[in-house]
Amino acid sequence: MEKGYYNWPWKPMDTIPVDNELNSLLRLNPEFPLAVSYDNLSSYKNSFVNWHKQGFIELSVVTENMVTVNLLNHQERIGTGEGFLILPGTLHSIRSSETGCPAKYQTVLFDSCLLTGFRGSYFEKNYYKPEIINRNGFYHFSMNSESLFFIADDFQDIFQDIYWEDAFLKNQIHQKIQRIWIALWNSVIVFQANNDFQLADARLLKMIDFLQTNFQKKFVLDDLCNYVNLSRSACCRYFRKMMNMSISEYLLEYRLSQALFLLNNTDGSITEIALQTGFSTTSYFISAFKKKMLLTPYEYKVRTNKGY
């Protein structure tokens, strides 16, 4: 499904793995830091791409139905034939706009070095100015607009196998990305740069920080409510609205992500890892892990150690 990805630890992908600051753990090949994917929201848990920040530029075009891109305190609906550009460090999530109609979209992920070449370059100063792009990390555009219609073929070419199998044609991908960026810069970025969407919500980040700091302990909802100064009902409603999952679901996902890290990087026993990641019993940990990974923790560790 994806070309160019590496170090993507969860298969099949239903949740984007993130660190404790919601940075995506996805990495790109440093030799050619560009990847493409055909995204189908039905493959994600609850048809929802969880909140995360990328370390690189994310460019997507919707091919079927409609998506809603959630930025903190702002939502943007993107229809078929429309696209969205998300810059590095922008916290966001994505979901289908219509219940029962999971959307599909094509995505190109690439490092800014493919545009700038090197720090302080002419291209960086004139077409990737931090003082401009930092005002707004999200842009909505239509590929059918007169100013962008001519780059539609360039965008589709990047997804063709022939370009990835031929070294000469692969070099053209680099040129096409730069051409697409210039078009977006001239037609979209410059004009939307002053739309200062609020890209941070202190309350949600405070809640996430509390959960990730205390994930090893027994969770008490009142402790979180007191920490963010909300009632129990308001706290639960707000978290679900912003994250599209309950507090307990998020905490379980985070605990499992920490358990995966320990299974991959330590020699701890299954019981030790269960206790270290906040599970009340080893049997509950094994059950939750198997439901998520389709393997028991022991089976996962054996396969990982053998390189399966």
Side-chain angles (χ1 to χ4, degrees):
M1 290 293 289
E2 297 87 16
K3 302 181 183 71
Y5 286 174
Y6 83 104
N7 195 27
W8 187 271
W10 288 23
K11 297 179 181 179
M13 183 183 68
D14 61 357
T15 302
I16 293 181
V18 296
D19 64 16
N20 59 2
E21 295 182 348
L22 298 184
N23 295 302
S24 168
L25 298 180
L26 173 64
R27 298 292 181 267
L28 298 176
N29 188 330
E31 292 185 356
F32 187 59
L34 184 147
V36 300
S37 69
Y38 301 88
D39 291 295
N40 186 335
L41 283 175
S42 64
S43 67
Y44 290 89
K45 184 176 181 180
N46 299 326
S47 296
F48 177 82
V49 179
N50 52 297
W51 288 95
H52 65 286
K53 294 180 287 186
Q54 301 283 18
F56 28 78
I57 298 165
E58 183 174 348
L59 175 63
S60 300
V61 173
V62 178
T63 58
E64 189 173 321
N65 296 320
M66 180 176 288
V67 307
T68 294
V69 179
N70 301 304
L71 306 165
L72 293 177
N73 292 331
H74 178 75
Q75 292 183 337
E76 195 86 5
R77 289 164 62 90
I78 318 291
T80 302
E82 298 178 333
F84 53 95
L85 172 68
I86 301 177
L87 297 179
T90 301
L91 188 62
H92 67 283
S93 64
I94 304 171
R95 61 179 173 82
S96 293
S97 296
E98 300 175 8
T99 304
C101 298
K104 296 180 181 180
Y105 55 98
Q106 295 173 290
T107 299
V108 179
L109 304 167
F110 59 97
D111 192 276
S112 62
C113 70
L114 294 181
L115 304 176
T116 62
F118 57 90
R119 182 173 297 179
S121 69
Y122 171 87
F123 204 100
E124 181 186 59
K125 291 179 180 179
N126 290 276
Y127 293 103
Y128 197 75
K129 294 180 179 178
E131 63 267 29
I132 291 178
I133 67 171
N134 285 344
R135 296 180 188 174
N136 182 11
F138 174 85
Y139 302 90
H140 177 186
F141 58 89
S142 172
M143 290 293 276
N144 296 322
S145 67
E146 184 177 350
S147 58
L148 295 178
F149 185 77
F150 75 96
I151 65 169
D153 288 342
D154 284 339
F155 184 82
Q156 289 301 321
D157 285 346
I158 296 173
F159 290 81
Q160 303 306 311
D161 289 339
I162 186 173
Y163 280 89
W164 290 84
E165 296 167 356
D166 185 287
F168 174 76
L169 293 178
K170 195 170 184 178
N171 182 58
Q172 291 189 18
I173 293 178
H174 189 186
Q175 299 174 31
K176 292 176 185 294
I177 281 292
Q178 292 184 332
R179 189 156 57 231
I180 290 170
W181 180 264
I182 289 293
L184 288 171
W185 181 273
N186 290 331
S187 302
V188 180
I189 297 175
V190 171
F191 294 101
Q192 294 184 22
N194 291 321
N195 294 339
D196 295 324
F197 297 141
Q198 271 189 286
L199 301 179
D201 187 308
R203 175 169 283 164
L204 178 62
L205 296 179
K206 192 173 182 180
M207 294 172 78
I208 291 171
D209 178 67
F210 178 90
L211 294 172
Q212 294 181 350
T213 300
N214 298 283
F215 77 97
Q216 295 173 307
K217 306 174 184 176
K218 180 180 179 180
F219 176 67
V220 179
L221 179 58
D222 287 340
D223 292 341
L224 175 60
C225 294
N226 292 334
Y227 186 68
V228 296
N229 194 29
L230 285 176
S231 67
R232 292 169 63 93
S233 59
C235 184
C236 294
R237 283 198 306 270
Y238 173 78
F239 192 90
R240 181 176 286 279
K241 175 184 176 182
M242 299 301 292
M243 298 295 288
N244 201 39
M245 62 175 65
S246 68
I247 295 171
S248 59
E249 287 173 334
Y250 177 82
L251 189 57
L252 176 60
E253 291 286 342
Y254 187 73
R255 284 170 169 165
L256 287 172
S257 71
Q258 297 302 303
L260 272 173
F261 176 82
L262 293 176
L263 286 168
N264 287 327
N265 296 280
T266 73
D267 295 322
S269 68
I270 304 302
T271 298
E272 290 171 338
I273 290 175
L275 293 175
Q276 290 173 22
T277 51
F279 287 91
S280 55
T281 65
T282 303
S283 60
Y284 175 47
F285 168 54
I286 293 173
S287 174
F289 190 94
K290 186 173 182 179
K291 185 176 181 180
K292 174 73 178 180
M293 301 298 295
L294 305 180
L295 296 169
T296 66
Y298 177 76
E299 290 169 339
Y300 176 85
K301 193 171 184 67
V302 169
R303 289 198 176 194
T304 301
N305 289 340
K306 287 186 177 181
Y308 293 164

